[in-house]
């Protein structure tokens, strides 16, 4: 799978073990302010199934605006980052924090300028998709 965001047709039909470090690949261009790494943990295009990935973002790299048709759960593993919903306040998030974005809620998240940032992202599939990518952040949205 050259693009880690290319989803499989369905989740595995039986138990599967993915070893630490397996399947780590660069994220595709056009989804963030800079390069980051993705470890796809669970992949599907089937309605109602889950997708899950681990993200490794270097300092200052943030996603473009995006939304998820059935919502998104982020669990911060390491580092310091930020998350913001459209029209809301930018919130600092740290290891151990959990963030929920409601279905269709336009938002972004990413690493603080001085810290790498890794998290687990879980989102269900609706209509053959788990994410709708939008435009990059503008200068007024950028981190300090």
């Amino acid at each position: 799978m050259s693009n880690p965001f290319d989803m499989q047709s369905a989740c595995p039909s039986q138990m599967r073990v993915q070893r630490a470090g397996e399947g780590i690949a660069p994220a595709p261009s056009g989804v963030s302010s800079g390069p980051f790494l993705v470890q796809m943990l669970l992949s599907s295009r089937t309605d109602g199934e889950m997708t899950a990935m681990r993200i490794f973002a270097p300092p200052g790299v943030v996603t473009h605006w995006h939304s998820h048709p059935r919502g998104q759960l982020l669990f911060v593993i390491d580092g310091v980052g930020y998350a913001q919903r459209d029209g809301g306040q930018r919130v600092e998030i740290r290891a151990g924090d959990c963030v929920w974005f409601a279905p269709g809620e336009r938002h972004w998240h990413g690493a603080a300028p001085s810290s790498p940032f890794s998290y687990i992202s879980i989102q269900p599939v609706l209509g053959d998709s788990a994410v709708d990518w939008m435009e990059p952040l503008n200068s007024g949205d950028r981190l300090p």
Side-chain angles (χ1 to χ4, degrees), residues 6-139:
D6 287 344
M7 304 310 246
Q8 301 298 309
S9 59
C11 291
S13 60
Q14 58 187 346
M15 183 179 143
R16 177 191 63 140
V17 175
Q18 182 173 337
R19 301 294 178 194
E22 287 181 348
I24 296 175
S29 62
V31 300
S32 66
S33 64
F36 65 94
L37 296 175
V38 176
Q39 181 182 27
M40 188 59 69
L41 303 172
L42 191 59
S43 173
S44 177
R45 289 190 312 271
T46 300
D47 278 1
E49 289 194 344
M50 304 300 288
T51 65
M53 60 192 77
R54 184 174 180 180
I55 305 297
F56 307 87
V61 172
V62 299
T63 67
H64 289 185
W65 288 101
H66 63 285
S67 66
H68 302 271
R70 296 193 65 189
Q72 179 186 38
L73 180 77
L74 295 183
F75 182 78
V76 182
I77 296 175
D78 192 37
V80 179
Y82 291 99
Q84 183 177 16
R85 66 180 295 277
D86 195 9
Q89 295 288 328
R90 184 181 65 226
V91 177
E92 183 180 278
I93 51 180
R94 296 179 168 271
D97 290 345
C98 185
V99 181
W100 167 250
F101 297 104
E105 186 171 44
R106 184 176 136 103
H107 67 278
W108 65 268
H109 39 81
S114 61
S115 176
F117 184 56
S118 66
Y119 58 91
I120 300 288
S121 172
I122 303 168
Q123 48 279 315
V125 176
L126 178 65
D128 200 36
S129 177
V131 63
D132 297 312
W133 291 105
M134 300 168 196
E135 75 278 3
L137 278 64
N138 65 42
S139 60

